């Protein structure tokens, strides 16, 4: 079972309220999003350091995300994907555009989220 959870209209609030969570935003037709998903899944299969962090992927072109989009009006201005958001106790504390396991790990370490 993959540690990269599928986040949709019915579970995004629960996911984001976790003590620590990383949410990758993408779209179905985004090649960079597909590549980042594969890299992230490969990383998570071997990872032991970030066991207490939840990781999720949300495809913004899927139905049922009206509540998420309404809560995050800045999404309307988003021009590039993938976008990565880091949450602590339901609050967005960091975001970054693009991909890269090293970039992600550096940000998690700066936030002291290691197990």
């Amino acid at each position: 079972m993959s540690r990269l959870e599928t986040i949709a209209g019915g579970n995004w609030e629960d996911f984001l309220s976790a003590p620590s969570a990383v949410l990758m935003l993408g779209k179905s037709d985004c090649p960079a999003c597909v590549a980042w998903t594969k890299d992230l899944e490969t990383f998570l299969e071997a990872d032991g350091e970030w066991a207490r962090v939840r990781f999720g992927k949300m495809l913004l072109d899927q139905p049922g995300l009206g509540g998420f989009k309404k809560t995050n009006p800045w999404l309307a201005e988003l021009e590039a994907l993938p976008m990565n958001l880091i949450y602590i106790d339901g609050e967005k504390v960091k975001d970054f555009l693009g991909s890269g396991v090293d970039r992600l790990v550096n940000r998690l370490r700066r936030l002291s989220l290691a197990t």
Side-chain angles (χ1 to χ4, degrees):
M1 183 171 143
S2 175
R3 282 186 49 208
L4 185 61
E5 301 174 46
T6 299
I7 308 304
N11 67 345
W12 68 269
E13 290 174 295
D14 175 64
F15 177 81
L16 297 182
S17 68
S20 52
V22 174
L23 178 62
M24 187 272 271
L25 301 177
K27 286 190 176 178
S28 303
D29 61 352
C30 167
C33 301
V34 172
W36 178 220
T37 297
K38 289 178 184 173
D39 290 348
L40 195 51
E41 286 175 334
T42 299
F43 164 70
L44 291 172
E45 284 174 12
D47 171 64
E49 185 175 1
W50 310 103
R52 66 184 189 111
V53 178
R54 289 177 72 178
F55 291 85
K57 173 183 170 181
M58 177 185 285
L59 296 177
L60 295 171
D61 55 351
Q62 298 300 306
L65 295 174
F68 180 78
K69 291 177 180 179
K70 188 178 241 182
T71 302
N72 297 282
W74 57 267
L75 287 169
E77 308 296 321
L78 192 58
E79 294 182 11
L81 293 169
M83 173 62 81
N84 303 279
L85 312 169
I86 302 174
Y87 290 82
I88 297 176
D89 296 324
E91 296 295 321
K92 183 174 74 162
V93 296
K94 195 79 173 156
D95 61 62
F96 67 98
L97 190 60
S99 59
V101 168
D102 289 339
R103 292 176 69 208
L104 173 62
V105 167
N106 285 338
R107 283 159 177 82
L108 293 173
R109 284 198 176 118
R110 278 188 233 135
L111 294 167
S112 302
L113 296 178
T115 302

